[in-house]
Amino acid sequence: QVQLVESGGGLVQPGGSLRLSCAASGSISGISTMGWYRQAPGKQRELVATITVGGTTNYADSVKGRFTISRDNAKNTVYLQMNSLKPEDTAVYYCEASAGWPYWGQGTQVTVSS
């Protein structure tokens, strides 16, 4: 079992920044890729960014150049630095860890509004 706890969400004005964190615990030795997904009201959950153990990253086109995913394997934590936030980035952000099958965090709300 893998437990994931996200933090760092909140309310921010357009153009602002937030940093999300996701700490993994439990059977962490089996974790390979970790990532961030988001789900806006009335929409399906979508990929935001992923990162492998080796540091290879992948981003949704909508966040390229604005968001940066990083990972501290020693702390079993993945981060999402979000800059130049837009109202359309408003969603619940979920951390995901692949360890044989996907594990999900509880989600953290990000609201971008003036």
Side-chain angles (χ1 to χ4, degrees):
Q1 292 289 330
V2 174
Q3 293 79 44
L4 302 171
V5 178
E6 301 111 331
S7 60
L11 173 64
V12 64
Q13 293 187 342
S17 298
L18 281 175
R19 188 192 194 206
L20 305 183
S21 300
C22 172
S25 61
S27 301
I28 57 176
S29 61
I31 295 176
S32 56
T33 300
M34 297 186 73
W36 290 94
Y37 292 72
R38 65 187 181 187
Q39 187 167 18
K43 294 188 177 181
Q44 290 187 331
R45 190 173 297 188
E46 63 177 4
L47 178 147
V48 176
T50 61
I51 185 167
T52 67
V53 172
T56 300
T57 58
N58 179 52
Y59 294 93
D61 288 342
S62 59
V63 306
K64 283 181 181 177
R66 300 188 298 122
F67 291 10
T68 302
I69 190 171
S70 61
R71 181 170 178 169
D72 186 334
N73 291 325
K75 295 183 177 180
N76 306 309
T77 300
V78 63
Y79 305 95
L80 186 68
Q81 177 66 43
M82 304 185 294
N83 299 328
S84 303
L85 282 161
K86 305 175 180 179
E88 51 263 44
D89 294 317
T90 295
V92 178
Y93 283 70
Y94 295 92
C95 176
E96 185 267 348
S98 298
W101 49 77
Y103 291 89
W104 295 92
Q106 80 285 355
T108 185
Q109 177 70 47
V110 171
T111 302
V112 185
S113 175
S114 56

